[in-house]
Amino acid sequence: MSRLLAACLTVAFAAVLAVGTAFGVVALLEATPDQPNTPLITYEQADQGS
């Protein structure tokens, strides 16, 4: 009986660990990194006042 209980607890722990890992991976994939909004190339524009 104790071997069956140990096996059931191991399966339950493995299932909880797998679900937690899956949620962690999804959370990491949906996280957006902080990126500066600065252009790499800038062009000088002539003044078009007149």
Side-chain angles (χ1 to χ4, degrees), residues 7-10 14-15 18 23 27-29 31 34 43-48 50:
C8 288
L9 288 176
T10 303
F23 278 118
L28 285 176
L29 289 175
D34 293 333
Y43 299 101
E44 291 187 22
Q45 296 181 359
D47 188 23
Q48 298 180 5
S50 30

Side-chain angles (χ1 to χ4, degrees), residues 1-30:
M1 182 71 173
S2 63
R3 293 181 85 182
L4 181 62
L5 180 62
C8 288
L9 288 176
T10 303
V11 168
F13 178 72
V16 169
L17 187 63
V19 169
T21 302
F23 278 118
V25 167
V26 169
L28 285 176
L29 289 175
E30 289 183 354

Side-chain angles (χ1 to χ4, degrees), residues 32-48:
T32 56
D34 293 333
Q35 296 180 356
N37 194 12
T38 56
L40 296 176
I41 300 173
T42 56
Y43 299 101
E44 291 187 22
Q45 296 181 359
D47 188 23
Q48 298 180 5

